[in-house]
């Protein structure tokens, strides 16, 4: 293809690119990132693409619960409450598994819009429920299809579209908007829970419909992922999108560099065999990374954070608080505020240390929470032990501080960086599905478990947090300030995760961002054998 004359620092071909027998010379990753700007369009992309106290509401209980003669009010059995809570996560599980394929067929942007439409349909089914709790639960299942799909495609769209200077930050905004959604729901629930009519629960659901509608329509005014557009042969569109999002001329050096990288990767994939779904397990070093991604996403749920958010009003009512909705607002506010701190952690701190420190912190909080709740709180009359109730609330807040600044936003960023482009959609879908699977299991079984062992349930999550410290320490490579190609190289070369933050490429094939001569290396499975032999004496293997 003919090209407009480039500036002197634009990328050029060199003789060993994997796709054509040559790699590429060009500006260093640091120079290219410095050239990019933080544009309103890029921020808007992050914002738009990232967009349960019902059980205590009188009208909701009267319609969908069962009257308890002893308590003199409507109540929910553990099975019914677990089903209503858990079916949303079950729908999310299915939605996340099919999202990768849909994104490849429809495109990232249309898949996000269609997923938001599913959320709207599910909300309509919920709002129109009159007396059948099964209808309401089915509505949550349909809503889950959309949410699960969004949880895969939104981070994928952001990672493929965002300028390098904002990539990690914008991927993490997904978690920020999850927390904002929880907080908004808690505020609305607090404002409506005293209403005697169905407005107490229909208003919160109606606002969920509004957010889905805004997302579904808003994404259509944004450009398609440049990488997806290029794969369809729309190079000019891909070039314009990259330039607009980075605030650059369409022939700027970093725009040329990204287009050349996309072209080289596509040519490499076309030269090889067709990718099969099972290669996320059999591809070069992919079993290790696929299992690690599944574990990290499951770990985000097994920290126990949704134990508080799904059953918070029920839990804190047991501490003797007259209005446990207030406590939920406190927890939600801490969650939102500290997630902003988590965005700073993503940008400034190492992934490994932050995740290990966060898991250790949450483990300590759960130990204290569990032992105080079980041994010090008077479960029959909590008003007799106000000090124990206060301790539970304080350590719940401290737990959420740890989660919101580490495991909340960081897991999305780490998993988005974990896989090579060839396997990213399928591997991310499977990893995200594990998150929703454990979300469902925790949502469904929590009532059964807490009814049996009360606050000692927290010890399960404490043990999981301890295990996550070890998983990160022994298996996760430090990826902060590394290019995606460099991260791929490190996993392929079995770099020791424990010392990975100090690892450097000591061969002549310079890694992007570390080069002194201003060039960047291109890496692929096709060159892994040669590259591994070149670096074998420089790499620490676990």
């Amino acid at each position: 293809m003919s090209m407009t004359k480039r500036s002197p620092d634009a990328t050029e071909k060199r003789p060993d690119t994997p796709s054509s027998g040559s790699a590429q010379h060009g500006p260093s990753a640091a120079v290219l990132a410095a050239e990019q700007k933080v544009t309103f369009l890029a921020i808007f992309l992050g914002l738009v693409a990232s967009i349960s106290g019902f059980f205590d509401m009188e009208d909701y209980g009267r319609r969908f619960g069962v009257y308890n003669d002893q308590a003199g009010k409507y109540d929910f059995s553990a099975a019914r409450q677990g089903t209503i809570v858990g079916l949303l996560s079950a729908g999310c599980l299915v939605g996340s598994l099919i999202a990768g394929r849909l994104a490849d067929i429809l495109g990232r942007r249309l898949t996000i819009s269609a997923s938001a439409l599913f959320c709207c349909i599910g909300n309509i089914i919920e709002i129109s429920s009159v007396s059948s709790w099964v209808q309401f639960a089915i509505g949550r299942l349909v809503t889950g299809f959309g949410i699960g799909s969004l949880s895969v495609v939104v981070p994928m769209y952001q990672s493929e579209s965002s300028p390098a200077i904002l990539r990690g930050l914008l991927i993490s905004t997904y978690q920020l908007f999850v927390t904002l959604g929880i907080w908004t729901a808690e505020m609305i629930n607090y404002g409506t829970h005293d209403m005697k009519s169905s407005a107490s629960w229909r208003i919160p659901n109606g606002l969920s419909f509004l957010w889905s509608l805004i997302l579904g329509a808003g994404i259509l005014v944004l450009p398609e992922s440049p990488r997806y557009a290029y794969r369809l042969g729309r190079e000019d569109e891909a070039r314009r999108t990259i330039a607009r999002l980075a605030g650059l001329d369409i022939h700027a050096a970093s725009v040329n560099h990204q287009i050349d990288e996309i072209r080289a990767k596509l040519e490499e994939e076309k030269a090889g065999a067709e990718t099969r779904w099972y290669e996320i397990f059999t591809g070069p070093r992919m079993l290790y990374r696929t299992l690690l991604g599944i574990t990290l996403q499951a770990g985000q749920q097994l920290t126990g954070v949704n134990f508080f958010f799904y059953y918070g009003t029920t839990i804190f009512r047991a501490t003797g608080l007259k209005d446990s909705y207030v406590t939920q607002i406190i927890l939600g506010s801490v969650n939102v505020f500290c997630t902003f701190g988590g965005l700073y952690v993503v940008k400034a701190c190492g992934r490994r240390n932050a995740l290990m420190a966060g898991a250790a912190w949450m483990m300590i909080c759960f130990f204290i929470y569990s032992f105080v709740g079980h041994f010090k709180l008077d479960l029959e009359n909590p008003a007799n032990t106000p000090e124990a109730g206060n301790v539970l609330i304080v350590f719940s807040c401290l737990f959420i501080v740890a989660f919101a600044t580490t495991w909340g936003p960081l897991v999305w960023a780490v998993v988005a960086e974990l896989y090579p482009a060839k396997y990213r959609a399928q591997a991310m879908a499977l990893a995200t599905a594990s998150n929703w699977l454990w979300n469902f299991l925790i949502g469904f079984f929590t009532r059964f478990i807490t009814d049996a062992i009360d606050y000692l349930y927290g010890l399960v999550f404490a043990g999981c947090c301890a295990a996550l410290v070890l998983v990160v320490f022994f298996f996760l490579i430090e990826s902060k300030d590394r290019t995606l190609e460099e991260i791929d190289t490190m996993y392929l070369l079995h770099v020791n995760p424990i010392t990975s933050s100090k690892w450097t490429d000591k061969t002549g094939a310079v890694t992007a961002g570390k080069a002194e001569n201003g060039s960047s290396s291109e890496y692929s499975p096709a060159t892994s054998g040669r590259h591994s032999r070149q670096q074998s004496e420089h790499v620490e293997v676990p």
Side-chain angles (χ1 to χ4, degrees):
M1 176 185 126
S2 63
M3 299 288 294
T4 302
K5 184 178 180 181
R6 298 181 183 178
S7 55
D9 60 346
T11 57
E12 301 173 354
K13 298 282 185 178
R14 75 178 180 181
D16 55 342
T17 298
S19 58
S20 60
S22 67
Q24 296 177 359
H25 280 301
S28 68
V31 171
L32 295 174
E35 184 183 47
Q36 298 171 0
K37 302 169 186 175
V38 179
T39 65
F40 171 78
L41 181 62
I43 294 173
F44 181 64
L45 180 148
L47 297 180
V48 171
S50 295
I51 300 273
S52 337
F54 287 178
F55 296 110
D56 279 348
M57 294 179 178
E58 182 179 334
D59 183 80
Y60 188 85
R62 184 168 59 249
R63 291 172 182 269
F64 306 121
V66 177
Y67 191 76
N68 187 327
D69 292 325
Q70 294 181 342
K73 64 176 183 177
Y74 288 90
D75 204 351
F76 291 83
S77 66
R80 184 172 297 192
Q81 185 172 351
T83 301
I84 293 173
V85 171
L87 274 184
L88 178 73
S89 302
C92 291
L93 172 61
V94 176
S96 63
L97 287 172
I98 65 175
R101 183 61 177 161
L102 283 177
D104 286 340
I105 295 173
L106 300 178
R108 283 39 169 165
R109 194 174 57 134
L110 287 180
T111 301
I112 291 174
S113 186
S115 300
L117 176 62
F118 261 93
C119 293
C120 291
I121 294 172
N123 288 144
I124 291 172
I125 295 173
E126 293 174 47
I127 293 171
S128 62
S129 301
V130 177
S131 59
S132 172
W133 71 269
V134 174
Q135 179 182 338
F136 190 89
I138 294 299
R140 285 178 60 82
L141 179 68
V142 175
T143 302
F145 293 153
I147 294 175
S149 179
L150 290 172
S151 68
V152 174
V153 185
V154 166
M156 186 191 307
Y157 175 70
Q158 290 172 322
S159 67
E160 291 182 350
S161 305
S162 306
I165 192 174
L166 288 176
R167 188 184 69 216
L169 189 65
L170 288 185
I171 295 173
S172 298
T173 59
Y174 178 80
Q175 179 64 24
L176 173 62
F177 277 82
V178 169
T179 64
L180 282 172
I182 293 172
W183 179 80
T184 302
E186 288 161 351
M187 294 294 290
I188 295 169
N189 285 345
Y190 176 72
T192 64
H193 77 280
D194 283 333
M195 294 181 177
K196 304 302 182 183
S197 69
S198 64
S200 59
W201 56 273
R202 281 185 167 139
I203 288 176
N205 272 19
L207 288 174
S208 297
F209 176 90
L210 177 62
W211 304 145
S212 301
L213 192 63
I214 292 173
L215 172 59
I219 196 69
L220 295 178
V221 306
L222 291 173
E224 181 55 271
S225 156
R227 285 162 176 81
Y228 181 80
Y230 190 95
R231 286 172 177 269
L232 296 181
R234 308 199 301 253
E235 180 176 342
D236 290 341
E237 177 187 339
R239 179 179 290 277
R240 287 194 303 270
T241 299
I242 292 172
R244 288 178 62 201
L245 290 170
L248 299 171
D249 180 80
I250 61 172
H251 297 298
S254 65
V255 176
N256 289 333
H257 180 78
Q258 290 184 64
I259 290 293
D260 287 344
E261 282 190 332
I262 295 170
R263 179 188 300 114
K265 178 62 66 177
L266 183 59
E267 290 174 355
E268 175 190 330
E269 292 179 7
K270 286 182 177 179
E274 182 181 352
T275 303
R276 305 293 184 182
W277 68 267
Y278 55 78
E279 290 182 26
I280 63 173
F281 300 105
T282 62
R285 195 63 166 161
M286 281 305 298
L287 178 61
Y288 181 101
R289 284 186 276 182
T290 298
L291 293 178
L292 180 58
I294 290 173
T295 302
L296 291 174
Q297 283 282 25
Q300 191 188 59
Q301 289 299 317
L302 290 171
T303 59
V305 64
N306 280 328
F307 170 64
F308 294 109
F309 288 122
Y310 282 167
Y311 295 98
T313 53
T314 303
I315 293 168
F316 291 109
R317 188 173 58 209
T319 66
L321 289 174
K322 294 181 179 179
D323 193 345
S324 54
Y325 284 90
V326 174
T327 307
Q328 280 294 80
I329 291 175
I330 294 172
L331 295 180
S333 299
V334 171
N335 193 24
V336 171
F337 178 79
C338 292
T339 300
F340 283 100
L343 298 182
Y344 171 79
V345 171
V346 169
K347 185 72 176 173
C349 302
R351 307 324 194 213
R352 284 171 49 83
N353 289 337
L355 288 173
M356 287 189 291
W361 184 345
M362 290 185 286
M363 176 190 68
I364 294 171
C365 290
F366 256 124
F367 273 127
I368 296 173
Y369 178 92
S370 300
F371 288 131
V372 170
H374 183 74
F375 293 108
K376 295 297 183 181
L377 185 70
D378 186 345
L379 297 177
E380 298 297 327
N381 190 2
N384 293 336
T385 52
E387 296 84 0
N390 291 336
V391 169
L392 294 183
I393 296 171
V394 167
F395 277 91
S396 297
C397 290
L398 291 175
F399 170 92
I400 290 172
V401 169
F403 178 85
T405 54
T406 58
W407 280 83
L410 271 173
V411 166
W412 297 106
V414 166
V415 172
E417 298 167 342
L418 194 56
Y419 310 107
K422 189 175 184 179
Y423 307 113
R424 185 170 296 129
Q426 301 97 317
M428 282 187 65
L430 190 59
T432 306
S434 75
N435 186 303
W436 288 115
L437 173 62
W438 284 102
N439 190 310
F440 165 74
L441 293 174
I442 292 170
F444 185 83
F445 288 108
T446 286
R447 267 290 304 274
F448 293 100
I449 298 172
T450 54
D451 285 353
I453 60 174
D454 58 75
Y455 290 90
L456 290 181
Y457 185 34
L459 296 180
V460 175
F461 298 120
C464 291
C465 290
L468 291 173
V469 174
L470 299 178
V471 168
V472 173
F473 182 75
F474 286 110
F475 299 106
L476 181 66
I477 284 176
E478 180 57 66
S479 57
K480 178 182 177 292
D481 295 333
R482 309 265 189 191
T483 66
L484 296 179
E485 292 74 23
E486 190 176 7
I487 297 167
D488 185 34
T489 300
M490 294 172 73
Y491 278 106
L492 286 164
L493 296 177
H494 295 237
V495 170
N496 188 345
I498 299 172
T499 57
S500 59
S501 62
K502 299 177 182 179
W503 181 85
T504 56
D505 186 339
K506 298 182 180 179
T507 71
V510 185
T511 48
K514 304 294 182 182
E516 295 180 358
N517 65 356
S519 65
S520 63
S521 64
E522 189 75 29
Y523 189 85
S524 75
T527 61
S528 62
R530 171 173 58 80
H531 204 157
S532 298
R533 289 191 297 272
Q534 288 175 336
Q535 298 195 17
S536 59
E537 60 183 285
H538 302 290
V539 177
E540 300 178 50
V541 182

